Coordinates of all heavy atoms in Angstrom, one line a residue:
M266 N -34.6 22.8 -30.4 CA -33.8 21.7 -30.8 C -34.4 20.4 -30.2 O -34.7 20.3 -29.1 CB -32.4 21.9 -30.1 CG -31.4 20.8 -30.5 SD -29.8 21.3 -29.9 CE -29.3 19.7 -29.2
P267 N -34.6 19.5 -31.2 CA -35.2 18.2 -30.9 C -34.3 17.3 -30.1 O -33.0 17.4 -30.3 CB -35.5 17.6 -32.3 CG -34.7 18.3 -33.2 CD -34.4 19.7 -32.7
E268 N -34.9 16.6 -29.2 CA -34.0 15.7 -28.4 C -33.5 14.5 -29.2 O -34.1 14.0 -30.1 CB -34.8 15.1 -27.2 CG -35.2 16.1 -26.1 CD -35.8 15.4 -24.9 OE1 -35.4 14.2 -24.6 OE2 -36.5 16.0 -24.1
A269 N -32.3 14.1 -28.8 CA -31.6 13.0 -29.6 C -32.3 11.7 -29.2 O -32.8 11.5 -28.1 CB -30.2 12.9 -29.2
T270 N -32.4 10.8 -30.3 CA -33.0 9.5 -30.1 C -32.1 8.7 -29.2 O -30.9 9.0 -29.0 CB -33.3 8.8 -31.3 OG1 -32.0 8.5 -32.0 CG2 -34.2 9.7 -32.3
L271 N -32.7 7.6 -28.7 CA -31.9 6.7 -27.9 C -30.6 6.2 -28.6 O -29.6 6.1 -28.2 CB -32.7 5.6 -27.4 CG -32.0 4.6 -26.5 CD1 -31.4 5.2 -25.2 CD2 -33.0 3.4 -26.0
E272 N -30.9 5.9 -29.9 CA -29.8 5.4 -30.8 C -28.7 6.4 -31.0 O -27.5 6.1 -30.9 CB -30.3 4.9 -32.1 CG -31.2 3.6 -32.1 CD -32.6 3.9 -31.7 OE1 -33.0 5.1 -31.7 OE2 -33.4 3.0 -31.3
Q273 N -29.1 7.6 -31.1 CA -28.1 8.7 -31.4 C -27.3 8.9 -30.0 O -26.1 9.1 -30.1 CB -28.7 10.0 -31.7 CG -29.4 9.9 -33.1 CD -30.2 11.2 -33.4 OE1 -30.8 11.7 -32.5 NE2 -30.3 11.5 -34.6
R274 N -28.0 8.8 -28.9 CA -27.3 9.0 -27.6 C -26.3 7.9 -27.4 O -25.2 8.0 -26.8 CB -28.3 9.1 -26.5 CG -29.2 10.4 -26.6 CD -30.2 10.5 -25.5 NE -29.8 10.2 -24.2 CZ -30.6 9.9 -23.2 NH1 -31.8 9.8 -23.3 NH2 -30.0 9.8 -21.9
M275 N -26.8 6.7 -27.7 CA -25.9 5.4 -27.5 C -24.7 5.6 -28.5 O -23.6 5.2 -28.0 CB -26.6 4.2 -27.9 CG -27.7 3.7 -26.7 SD -26.8 3.4 -25.2 CE -25.8 2.0 -25.5
T276 N -24.9 6.0 -29.7 CA -23.7 6.1 -30.6 C -22.8 7.2 -30.0 O -21.5 6.9 -30.0 CB -24.2 6.6 -32.0 OG1 -25.1 5.5 -32.5 CG2 -23.1 6.7 -32.9
A277 N -23.2 8.3 -29.6 CA -22.4 9.3 -29.0 C -21.7 8.8 -27.8 O -20.4 9.1 -27.6 CB -23.2 10.5 -28.7
L278 N -22.4 8.0 -26.9 CA -21.7 7.5 -25.8 C -20.6 6.5 -26.1 O -19.5 6.5 -25.5 CB -22.8 6.8 -24.8 CG -22.4 6.2 -23.6 CD1 -21.8 7.3 -22.7 CD2 -23.6 5.5 -22.9
E279 N -21.0 5.7 -27.0 CA -20.0 4.6 -27.5 C -18.7 5.3 -28.1 O -17.5 4.9 -27.9 CB -20.5 3.7 -28.6 CG -21.5 2.7 -27.9 CD -22.3 1.9 -29.0 OE1 -22.2 2.2 -30.1 OE2 -22.9 1.0 -28.6
E280 N -18.9 6.4 -28.9 CA -17.7 7.1 -29.4 C -16.9 7.8 -28.2 O -15.7 7.7 -28.3 CB -18.2 8.2 -30.3 CG -18.8 7.6 -31.7 CD -19.4 8.7 -32.6 OE1 -19.5 9.9 -32.2 OE2 -19.9 8.3 -33.6
A281 N -17.6 8.4 -27.3 CA -16.9 9.0 -26.2 C -16.1 7.9 -25.4 O -14.9 8.1 -25.0 CB -17.9 9.7 -25.3
V282 N -16.7 6.8 -25.2 CA -16.0 5.7 -24.4 C -14.7 5.2 -25.2 O -13.7 5.0 -24.7 CB -16.9 4.5 -24.1 CG1 -16.1 3.3 -23.6 CG2 -18.1 4.9 -23.1
C283 N -15.0 5.1 -26.5 CA -13.8 4.7 -27.3 C -12.7 5.8 -27.4 O -11.5 5.4 -27.2 CB -14.3 4.6 -28.9 SG -13.7 3.1 -29.7
E284 N -13.0 7.0 -27.4 CA -12.0 8.1 -27.3 C -11.3 8.1 -25.9 O -10.1 8.2 -25.8 CB -12.7 9.5 -27.5 CG -13.1 9.7 -28.9 CD -13.9 11.0 -28.9 OE1 -13.9 11.8 -28.0 OE2 -14.5 11.3 -30.1
L285 N -12.1 7.8 -24.8 CA -11.4 7.8 -23.5 C -10.5 6.5 -23.4 O -9.4 6.6 -22.8 CB -12.6 7.6 -22.5 CG -13.3 8.9 -22.1 CD1 -14.5 8.6 -21.3 CD2 -12.4 10.0 -21.5
Q286 N -10.9 5.4 -24.1 CA -10.1 4.2 -24.0 C -8.7 4.4 -24.7 O -7.7 4.1 -24.3 CB -10.8 3.0 -24.5 CG -11.9 2.5 -23.6 CD -12.7 1.3 -24.3 OE1 -12.9 1.3 -25.5 NE2 -13.3 0.5 -23.4
E287 N -8.9 5.0 -25.9 CA -7.7 5.4 -26.7 C -6.7 6.3 -26.0 O -5.6 6.2 -25.9 CB -8.0 5.9 -28.0 CG -8.6 4.9 -29.0 CD -7.7 3.7 -29.3 OE1 -6.6 3.9 -29.4 OE2 -8.3 2.5 -29.2
A288 N -7.3 7.3 -25.3 CA -6.6 8.3 -24.5 C -5.9 7.5 -23.4 O -4.7 7.9 -23.0 CB -7.5 9.4 -23.9
M289 N -6.5 6.6 -22.6 CA -5.9 5.9 -21.6 C -4.7 5.0 -22.1 O -3.7 4.9 -21.4 CB -7.0 5.1 -20.9 CG -7.9 5.8 -20.0 SD -7.2 6.8 -18.7 CE -6.5 5.5 -17.7
K290 N -4.9 4.4 -23.3 CA -3.8 3.6 -23.9 C -2.5 4.4 -24.2 O -1.4 3.9 -24.0 CB -4.3 2.9 -25.0 CG -5.2 1.7 -24.8 CD -5.7 1.1 -26.2 CE -6.8 0.1 -25.9 NZ -7.3 -0.5 -27.2
A291 N -2.8 5.7 -24.6 CA -1.7 6.6 -25.0 C -0.9 7.2 -23.9 O 0.1 7.7 -24.0 CB -2.2 7.7 -25.9
R292 N -1.6 7.2 -22.7 CA -1.0 7.8 -21.5 C 0.2 7.0 -21.0 O 0.2 5.8 -21.0 CB -2.0 7.9 -20.3 CG -2.9 9.0 -20.5 CD -3.9 9.1 -19.3 NE -3.1 9.4 -18.1 CZ -3.7 9.5 -16.9 NH1 -5.0 9.5 -16.8 NH2 -2.9 9.8 -15.9
K293 N 1.3 7.7 -20.7 CA 2.4 7.1 -20.0 C 2.0 6.8 -18.6 O 1.3 7.6 -17.9 CB 3.6 7.9 -19.9 CG 4.1 8.1 -21.4 CD 5.4 9.0 -21.4 CE 5.9 9.2 -22.9 NZ 7.0 10.2 -22.8
P294 N 2.6 5.7 -17.9 CA 2.2 5.4 -16.6 C 2.9 6.5 -15.7 O 3.9 7.1 -16.0 CB 2.8 4.0 -16.3 CG 3.7 3.7 -17.4 CD 3.3 4.6 -18.6
A295 N 2.1 6.9 -14.6 CA 2.7 7.8 -13.7 C 4.0 7.3 -13.0 O 4.1 6.1 -12.7 CB 1.7 8.1 -12.6
P296 N 4.9 8.1 -12.7 CA 6.1 7.6 -12.1 C 5.8 7.2 -10.6 O 4.8 7.7 -10.0 CB 7.0 8.9 -12.0 CG 6.1 10.0 -12.3 CD 5.0 9.6 -13.1
D297 N 6.6 6.2 -10.2 CA 6.3 5.7 -8.9 C 6.6 6.7 -7.8 O 7.8 7.1 -7.7 CB 7.2 4.4 -8.8 CG 6.8 3.6 -7.5 OD1 5.9 4.0 -6.7 OD2 7.4 2.7 -7.1
W298 N 5.7 7.1 -7.0 CA 5.9 8.1 -6.0 C 6.9 7.7 -5.0 O 7.6 8.5 -4.4 CB 4.6 8.5 -5.3 CG 4.0 7.4 -4.6 CD1 3.2 6.5 -5.0 CD2 4.2 7.0 -3.1 NE1 2.8 5.5 -4.1 CE2 3.4 5.9 -2.9 CE3 5.0 7.6 -2.2 CZ2 3.4 5.3 -1.7 CZ3 5.0 7.0 -1.0 CH2 4.2 5.9 -0.7
L299 N 7.1 6.4 -4.8 CA 8.0 5.9 -3.8 C 9.4 6.2 -4.1 O 10.2 6.4 -3.3 CB 7.7 4.5 -3.5 CG 8.3 3.8 -2.3 CD1 7.9 4.5 -1.1 CD2 8.0 2.3 -2.2
D300 N 9.7 6.2 -5.4 CA 11.1 6.5 -5.9 C 11.5 7.9 -5.5 O 12.6 8.2 -5.2 CB 11.2 6.4 -7.4 CG 11.0 4.9 -8.0 OD1 11.3 4.1 -7.1 OD2 10.7 4.7 -9.0
Y301 N 10.5 8.8 -5.4 CA 10.9 10.2 -5.0 C 11.1 10.2 -3.5 O 11.8 11.2 -3.0 CB 9.7 11.1 -5.4 CG 9.6 11.3 -6.9 CD1 8.4 10.9 -7.6 CD2 10.6 11.9 -7.6 CE1 8.3 11.0 -8.9 CE2 10.4 12.1 -9.0 CZ 9.3 11.7 -9.7 OH 9.2 11.8 -11.0
I302 N 10.5 9.4 -2.7 CA 10.5 9.5 -1.2 C 11.8 8.8 -0.7 O 12.3 9.3 0.2 CB 9.1 9.0 -0.7 CG1 8.0 9.6 -1.2 CG2 9.2 9.0 0.8 CD1 7.9 11.1 -0.9
I303 N 12.0 7.6 -1.3 CA 13.1 6.8 -0.6 C 14.4 7.6 -0.6 O 14.9 8.1 -1.7 CB 13.3 5.5 -1.4 CG1 12.0 4.6 -1.2 CG2 14.5 4.7 -1.0 CD1 12.0 3.3 -2.0
G304 N 15.0 7.8 0.5 CA 16.3 8.4 0.6 C 16.2 9.9 0.7 O 17.2 10.6 0.8
S305 N 15.0 10.5 0.5 CA 14.9 12.0 0.5 C 15.3 12.6 1.8 O 15.5 13.8 1.9 CB 13.5 12.4 0.0 OG 12.6 12.1 0.9
M306 N 15.2 11.9 2.9 CA 15.4 12.4 4.3 C 16.8 11.9 4.8 O 17.0 12.0 6.0 CB 14.3 12.1 5.2 CG 13.0 12.7 4.9 SD 12.9 14.4 5.3 CE 11.2 14.8 4.9
K307 N 17.6 11.3 3.9 CA 18.8 10.6 4.4 C 19.7 11.5 5.2 O 20.2 11.0 6.3 CB 19.5 10.1 3.1 CG 20.8 9.4 3.5 CD 21.3 8.7 2.2 CE 21.8 9.7 1.3 NZ 22.7 9.2 0.2
D308 N 20.0 12.7 4.7 CA 21.0 13.6 5.4 C 20.2 14.7 6.2 O 20.9 15.8 6.4 CB 21.9 14.1 4.5 CG 22.8 13.0 3.9 OD1 23.2 12.1 4.5 OD2 23.1 13.1 2.6
E309 N 19.1 14.5 6.7 CA 18.3 15.5 7.3 C 18.4 15.3 8.9 O 17.9 14.3 9.4 CB 16.8 15.5 6.8 CG 15.9 16.6 7.4 CD 16.4 17.9 6.9 OE1 16.8 18.0 5.7 OE2 16.5 18.8 7.7
P310 N 19.1 16.2 9.6 CA 19.2 15.9 11.0 C 17.8 15.9 11.7 O 17.7 15.2 12.7 CB 20.0 17.1 11.5 CG 20.6 17.8 10.4 CD 19.8 17.3 9.1
A311 N 16.9 16.7 11.3 CA 15.6 16.8 12.0 C 14.9 15.5 11.8 O 14.2 15.0 12.8 CB 14.7 17.9 11.4
F312 N 15.0 14.7 10.7 CA 14.4 13.5 10.5 C 15.1 12.4 11.4 O 14.4 11.5 12.0 CB 14.5 13.0 9.0 CG 13.8 11.7 8.8 CD1 12.4 11.7 8.8 CD2 14.5 10.6 8.5 CE1 11.7 10.6 8.5 CE2 13.8 9.4 8.2 CZ 12.4 9.4 8.3
D313 N 16.4 12.5 11.5 CA 17.1 11.6 12.5 C 16.6 11.7 13.9 O 16.4 10.8 14.6 CB 18.7 11.8 12.4 CG 19.2 11.4 11.1 OD1 18.5 10.5 10.3 OD2 20.2 11.9 10.7
E314 N 16.4 13.0 14.3 CA 15.8 13.3 15.6 C 14.4 12.7 15.8 O 14.0 12.2 16.8 CB 15.8 14.8 15.9 CG 15.3 15.1 17.2 CD 15.3 16.7 17.5 OE1 15.6 17.5 16.6 OE2 14.9 17.1 18.6
V315 N 13.6 12.8 14.8 CA 12.2 12.2 14.8 C 12.3 10.7 15.0 O 11.5 10.1 15.7 CB 11.4 12.6 13.6 CG1 10.2 11.8 13.4 CG2 11.1 14.1 13.5
L316 N 13.2 10.1 14.2 CA 13.4 8.6 14.4 C 13.8 8.3 15.8 O 13.2 7.3 16.4 CB 14.3 8.1 13.3 CG 14.0 8.1 11.9 CD1 15.0 7.7 11.0 CD2 12.7 7.3 11.6
A317 N 14.7 9.1 16.4 CA 15.3 8.7 17.7 C 14.1 8.9 18.8 O 13.9 8.1 19.7 CB 16.4 9.7 18.1
L318 N 13.3 10.0 18.6 CA 12.2 10.2 19.5 C 11.2 9.1 19.4 O 10.6 8.7 20.4 CB 11.6 11.6 19.2 CG 12.5 12.8 19.6 CD1 11.8 14.1 19.1 CD2 12.7 12.8 21.1
G319 N 10.9 8.8 18.2 CA 9.9 7.6 18.0 C 10.4 6.4 18.7 O 9.6 5.6 19.3
R320 N 11.7 6.1 18.5 CA 12.2 4.8 19.1 C 12.1 4.9 20.6 O 11.8 3.9 21.3 CB 13.7 4.7 18.7 CG 14.4 3.4 19.0 CD 15.8 3.3 18.4 NE 15.8 3.5 17.0 CZ 16.4 4.5 16.4 NH1 17.0 5.5 17.2 NH2 16.4 4.7 15.2
A321 N 12.5 6.2 21.1 CA 12.4 6.3 22.6 C 11.0 6.1 23.2 O 10.8 5.5 24.2 CB 13.0 7.7 23.0
I322 N 9.9 6.6 22.4 CA 8.6 6.4 22.8 C 8.1 5.0 22.7 O 7.6 4.5 23.8 CB 7.7 7.3 21.9 CG1 7.8 8.8 22.2 CG2 6.2 6.9 22.2 CD1 7.2 9.7 21.2
R323 N 8.6 4.3 21.7 CA 8.2 2.8 21.6 C 8.8 2.1 22.7 O 8.3 1.2 23.3 CB 8.6 2.3 20.3 CG 7.7 2.8 19.2 CD 8.0 2.0 17.9 NE 9.4 2.0 17.5 CZ 10.0 2.9 16.7 NH1 9.3 4.0 16.3 NH2 11.2 2.8 16.4
Q324 N 10.1 2.4 23.1 CA 10.8 1.7 24.1 C 10.2 2.0 25.5 O 10.2 1.1 26.4 CB 12.4 1.9 24.0 CG 13.0 1.4 22.9 CD 14.5 1.8 22.8 OE1 14.9 2.6 23.4 NE2 15.2 0.9 21.8
S325 N 9.8 3.2 25.6 CA 9.2 3.5 27.0 C 7.8 2.8 27.2 O 7.4 2.6 28.4 CB 9.0 5.1 27.0 OG 7.9 5.5 26.2
D326 N 7.1 2.4 26.1 CA 5.9 1.7 26.3 C 6.0 0.3 26.6 O 5.1 -0.4 27.1 CB 5.1 1.8 25.0 CG 4.5 3.2 24.7 OD1 4.4 3.9 25.7 OD2 4.1 3.5 23.6
R327 N 7.3 -0.3 26.5 CA 7.6 -1.7 26.7 C 7.7 -1.8 28.3 O 8.3 -0.9 28.9 CB 8.8 -2.1 26.0 CG 8.6 -2.1 24.5 CD 9.9 -2.6 23.9 NE 9.8 -2.6 22.5 CZ 10.8 -2.5 21.6 NH1 12.0 -2.4 22.0 NH2 10.6 -2.5 20.3
P328 N 7.3 -2.9 28.8 CA 7.5 -3.1 30.2 C 9.0 -3.5 30.5 O 9.7 -4.0 29.6 CB 6.7 -4.4 30.5 CG 6.4 -5.1 29.2 CD 6.4 -4.0 28.2
A329 N 9.4 -3.1 31.7 CA 10.8 -3.4 32.0 C 11.1 -4.9 32.1 O 10.1 -5.6 32.2 CB 11.2 -2.7 33.4
E330 N 12.3 -5.3 32.1 CA 12.7 -6.7 32.1 C 12.1 -7.4 33.3 O 11.5 -8.5 33.1 CB 14.2 -7.0 32.1 CG 14.8 -6.6 30.8 CD 14.4 -7.5 29.6 OE1 14.2 -8.8 29.9 OE2 14.2 -7.1 28.5
D331 N 12.0 -6.8 34.4 CA 11.6 -7.4 35.7 C 10.0 -7.4 35.7 O 9.5 -8.1 36.5 CB 12.1 -6.8 36.9 CG 11.8 -5.3 37.0 OD1 11.5 -4.7 35.9 OD2 11.9 -4.7 38.0
Q332 N 9.4 -6.7 34.8 CA 8.0 -6.6 34.8 C 7.4 -7.3 33.5 O 6.1 -7.4 33.4 CB 7.4 -5.1 34.6 CG 7.9 -4.2 35.8 CD 7.5 -2.8 35.6 OE1 7.1 -2.4 34.4 NE2 7.5 -2.0 36.6
A333 N 8.2 -8.1 32.9 CA 7.7 -8.8 31.7 C 6.9 -9.9 32.1 O 7.1 -10.5 33.2 CB 8.9 -9.3 30.9
P334 N 5.8 -10.2 31.4 CA 4.9 -11.3 31.8 C 5.7 -12.6 31.8 O 6.4 -12.9 30.9 CB 3.8 -11.3 30.7 CG 4.3 -10.3 29.6 CD 5.5 -9.5 30.2
R335 N 5.3 -13.5 32.8 CA 6.0 -14.7 32.9 C 5.3 -15.8 32.2 O 4.1 -15.7 31.9 CB 6.0 -15.2 34.4 CG 6.7 -14.2 35.3 CD 8.0 -14.7 35.9 NE 8.5 -13.8 36.8 CZ 9.7 -13.1 36.5 NH1 10.3 -13.2 35.4 NH2 10.1 -12.2 37.3
G336 N 6.0 -16.8 31.7 CA 5.3 -17.9 31.0 C 5.0 -17.7 29.5 O 4.3 -18.4 28.9
F337 N 5.5 -16.5 29.0 CA 5.2 -16.2 27.6 C 6.2 -17.0 26.7 O 7.3 -17.0 26.9 CB 5.4 -14.7 27.3 CG 5.2 -14.3 25.9 CD1 4.0 -14.1 25.4 CD2 6.4 -14.1 25.1 CE1 3.7 -13.8 24.0 CE2 6.2 -13.7 23.8 CZ 4.9 -13.6 23.3
C338 N 5.6 -17.6 25.7 CA 6.6 -18.2 24.7 C 6.0 -17.9 23.3 O 4.9 -17.6 23.1 CB 6.5 -19.7 24.9 SG 5.0 -20.6 24.6
W339 N 7.0 -17.8 22.4 CA 6.7 -17.5 21.0 C 6.3 -18.8 20.2 O 6.9 -19.8 20.3 CB 8.0 -16.8 20.4 CG 7.8 -16.5 18.9 CD1 7.2 -15.4 18.5 CD2 8.2 -17.2 17.8 NE1 7.1 -15.4 17.2 CE2 7.7 -16.5 16.7 CE3 8.8 -18.5 17.5 CZ2 7.9 -16.8 15.4 CZ3 8.9 -18.8 16.2 CH2 8.6 -18.0 15.2
I340 N 5.1 -18.6 19.6 CA 4.6 -19.8 18.8 C 4.5 -19.3 17.3 O 3.9 -18.3 17.0 CB 3.2 -20.2 19.2 CG1 3.2 -20.6 20.7 CG2 2.6 -21.2 18.4 CD1 1.9 -20.8 21.4
P341 N 5.2 -20.0 16.5 CA 5.1 -19.6 15.0 C 3.7 -19.8 14.4 O 3.0 -20.8 14.8 CB 6.1 -20.5 14.3 CG 6.3 -21.7 15.2 CD 6.1 -21.2 16.6
I342 N 3.3 -19.0 13.4 CA 2.0 -19.1 12.9 C 2.1 -19.9 11.7 O 3.0 -19.6 10.8 CB 1.4 -17.6 12.6 CG1 1.3 -16.9 13.9 CG2 0.1 -17.7 11.8 CD1 1.0 -15.4 13.7
I343 N 1.2 -20.9 11.6 CA 1.2 -21.8 10.3 C -0.1 -21.7 9.7 O -1.1 -21.8 10.4 CB 1.5 -23.2 10.8 CG1 2.9 -23.4 11.3 CG2 1.5 -24.2 9.6 CD1 3.3 -24.7 11.8
S344 N -0.1 -21.4 8.4 CA -1.3 -21.3 7.7 C -1.4 -22.4 6.7 O -0.3 -22.9 6.2 CB -1.5 -20.0 7.0 OG -0.6 -19.8 6.1
V345 N -2.6 -22.8 6.2 CA -2.7 -23.8 5.2 C -3.2 -23.2 3.9 O -4.2 -22.4 3.8 CB -3.6 -24.9 5.7 CG1 -3.9 -25.9 4.6 CG2 -3.2 -25.5 6.9
S346 N -2.4 -23.5 2.8 CA -2.9 -23.0 1.5 C -4.1 -23.8 1.0 O -4.1 -25.1 1.1 CB -1.7 -23.2 0.5 OG -2.1 -22.9 -0.8
C347 N -5.1 -23.0 0.6 CA -6.3 -23.8 0.1 C -6.2 -24.6 -1.2 O -6.7 -25.5 -1.4 CB -7.5 -22.7 -0.1 SG -7.9 -21.9 1.4
K348 N -5.2 -24.1 -2.0 CA -5.1 -24.7 -3.3 C -4.2 -26.0 -3.3 O -4.6 -27.1 -3.8 CB -4.2 -23.9 -4.2 CG -5.1 -22.6 -4.7 CD -4.3 -21.8 -5.6 CE -5.2 -20.5 -6.0 NZ -4.5 -19.7 -6.9
S349 N -3.2 -26.1 -2.3 CA -2.4 -27.2 -2.2 C -2.7 -28.2 -1.0 O -2.1 -29.2 -0.8 CB -1.0 -26.9 -2.3 OG -0.6 -26.2 -1.3
N350 N -3.4 -27.5 0.0 CA -3.5 -28.1 1.3 C -2.2 -28.4 2.0 O -2.1 -29.5 2.7 CB -4.5 -29.4 1.2 CG -5.8 -29.1 0.9 OD1 -6.3 -28.0 1.2 ND2 -6.6 -30.0 0.2
R351 N -1.3 -27.6 1.7 CA 0.1 -27.9 2.2 C 0.4 -26.7 3.4 O 0.0 -25.6 3.1 CB 1.1 -27.7 1.1 CG 2.5 -28.1 1.5 CD 3.4 -28.1 0.3 NE 3.6 -26.6 0.0 CZ 4.1 -26.2 -1.1 NH1 4.6 -27.0 -2.0 NH2 4.2 -24.9 -1.4
A352 N 0.8 -27.1 4.5 CA 1.1 -26.2 5.5 C 2.3 -25.3 5.1 O 3.2 -25.8 4.6 CB 1.5 -26.9 6.8
V353 N 2.1 -24.1 5.3 CA 3.2 -23.0 5.0 C 3.5 -22.3 6.3 O 2.7 -21.8 7.0 CB 2.7 -22.1 3.9 CG1 3.7 -21.0 3.7 CG2 2.3 -22.8 2.7
N354 N 4.8 -22.3 6.6 CA 5.3 -21.5 7.8 C 5.3 -20.0 7.4 O 6.2 -19.6 6.7 CB 6.6 -22.0 8.4 CG 7.0 -21.3 9.6 OD1 6.5 -20.4 10.1 ND2 8.1 -21.9 10.1
T355 N 4.5 -19.2 8.0 CA 4.4 -17.7 7.7 C 5.2 -17.0 8.7 O 5.3 -15.7 8.5 CB 3.0 -17.3 7.7 OG1 2.4 -17.5 8.9 CG2 2.2 -17.9 6.5
A356 N 5.8 -17.5 9.7 CA 6.5 -16.8 10.7 C 7.9 -16.6 10.2 O 8.6 -17.4 9.6 CB 6.6 -17.6 12.0
H357 N 8.4 -15.3 10.4 CA 9.7 -15.0 9.9 C 10.6 -14.5 11.1 O 10.2 -13.8 11.9 CB 9.6 -13.7 8.8 CG 8.9 -14.2 7.6 ND1 9.4 -14.9 6.7 CD2 7.7 -13.9 7.3 CE1 8.6 -15.1 5.7 NE2 7.5 -14.6 6.1

């Protein structure tokens, strides 16, 4: 079987790309996976226990009130938008 010419190969490639593009246009978007997850553990006692254990671990990592560093103060972060050169408060 003789090898296809460059023009024949390009034509076949262009047709294949065209078919793929049409197939992509015809596909329905995949459902949002997050919609399946949100609320799925709502009434699950084991999940509530996991949340409680995680909260306990996070709280145990925090220093006690009498061990908190002194002189700490909260400073809001302000960034400048490059487009408008206007300061924007990003702290919430």
Side-chain angles (χ1 to χ4, degrees):
M266 179 171 135
E268 285 192 33
T270 65
L271 182 58
E272 290 80 15
Q273 290 170 332
R274 291 174 58 197
M275 284 299 296
T276 301
L278 182 60
E279 288 170 350
E280 289 173 0
V282 168
C283 223
E284 289 173 12
L285 287 171
Q286 287 175 335
E287 291 300 319
M289 290 300 294
K290 287 179 188 176
R292 285 181 62 177
K293 293 180 181 177
D297 188 2
W298 64 271
L299 196 53
D300 291 338
Y301 292 114
I302 302 298
I303 293 176
S305 64
M306 299 284 189
K307 183 173 66 170
D308 298 321
E309 185 65 43
F312 186 68
D313 293 337
E314 183 181 357
V315 167
L316 291 178
L318 291 171
R320 189 177 307 112
I322 290 170
R323 287 191 306 277
Q324 288 175 350
S325 71
D326 287 343
R327 294 181 183 155
E330 288 294 324
D331 59 341
Q332 297 175 348
R335 304 246 184 252
F337 176 78
C338 66
W339 181 79
I340 301 172
I342 299 172
I343 298 177
S344 65
V345 177
S346 170
C347 294
K348 292 182 180 178
S349 66
N350 290 334
R351 188 177 68 189
V353 177
N354 186 352
T355 58
H357 297 280

